[in-house]
Amino acid sequence: MQTIEVRPAVQREPAHPSIDRKQISDLVETFYQHIRTNDRLGPVFEARIAGDWGPHLDKMKGFWASVLLKTGEYKGKPVPAHFRMKEVVTDDFRIWLDLFRATALEVFDDPEAAAIVIRQAEKIATSLWMAMLATPFDKAPNFLFGEAGAGR
């Protein structure tokens, strides 16, 4: 008889111990409130969402729970969804990140947690920018890297 080795499940550690679902919900709700009132990004999002923000907010809460709490619940494909948005330009990423950074600093009491959340957003924005707007030899704009990216 053959013995089958069973490995223990991989432990998924949150990005920071102080981050919880309430903070993620607050992050998403507050961030998208800022997006809605932004002169440039508000219309871009509204054109796609058409007033029905609930499903998008739920999807983003699942996305950020997957990123920050390592839940694995988000099953979407963000690159193809964003790739179709031909009206998006490089400066939109700067606006998005400025709003996101300010929101993260507002929502997360722990500065270390806020910094981790912001760094994750910068990585995501960089990946999306590269997929949507870059050519093979383009260098990502410095604003995608925040303070840590100065001099890149």
Side-chain angles (χ1 to χ4, degrees), residues 72-151:
E73 66 195 73
Y74 178 78
K75 304 294 184 210
K77 295 179 181 177
V79 171
H82 288 85
F83 191 74
R84 293 188 297 267
M85 299 176 71
K86 300 301 181 193
E87 70 275 24
V88 172
V89 298
T90 293
D91 197 51
D92 294 337
F93 286 88
R94 180 192 56 77
I95 297 166
W96 187 93
L97 276 171
D98 285 349
L99 293 171
F100 193 93
R101 288 174 180 130
T103 304
L105 291 170
E106 177 184 337
V107 169
F108 293 92
D109 296 331
D110 185 318
E112 186 178 304
I116 289 168
V117 172
I118 290 167
R119 185 67 196 125
Q120 288 297 324
E122 291 168 349
K123 287 178 183 179
I124 291 160
T126 301
S127 294
L128 287 174
W129 177 83
M130 290 174 70
M132 294 171 67
L133 299 170
T135 59
F137 298 104
D138 284 345
K139 183 179 176 186
N142 279 344
F143 66 75
L144 289 171
F145 304 106
E147 299 280 330

Side-chain angles (χ1 to χ4, degrees), residues 35-64:
I35 289 287
R36 289 180 209 187
T37 60
N38 182 272
D39 292 340
R40 168 65 188 154
L41 296 184
V44 171
F45 277 81
E46 187 58 43
R48 297 256 187 280
I49 292 173
D52 192 12
W53 285 84
H56 183 70
L57 296 178
D58 290 344
K59 184 184 292 185
M60 292 301 93
K61 289 172 187 176
F63 173 80
W64 284 105

Side-chain angles (χ1 to χ4, degrees), residues 5-67:
E5 184 180 333
V6 178
R7 290 186 242 157
V10 175
Q11 291 293 325
R12 296 179 179 204
E13 296 293 324
H16 190 274
S18 72
I19 297 173
D20 61 29
R21 283 193 179 271
K22 169 133 180 26
Q23 289 173 318
I24 291 170
S25 180
D26 291 347
L27 173 72
V28 169
E29 295 283 343
T30 304
F31 173 67
Y32 282 100
Q33 193 57 44
H34 294 308
I35 289 287
R36 289 180 209 187
T37 60
N38 182 272
D39 292 340
R40 168 65 188 154
L41 296 184
V44 171
F45 277 81
E46 187 58 43
R48 297 256 187 280
I49 292 173
D52 192 12
W53 285 84
H56 183 70
L57 296 178
D58 290 344
K59 184 184 292 185
M60 292 301 93
K61 289 172 187 176
F63 173 80
W64 284 105
S66 288
V67 169

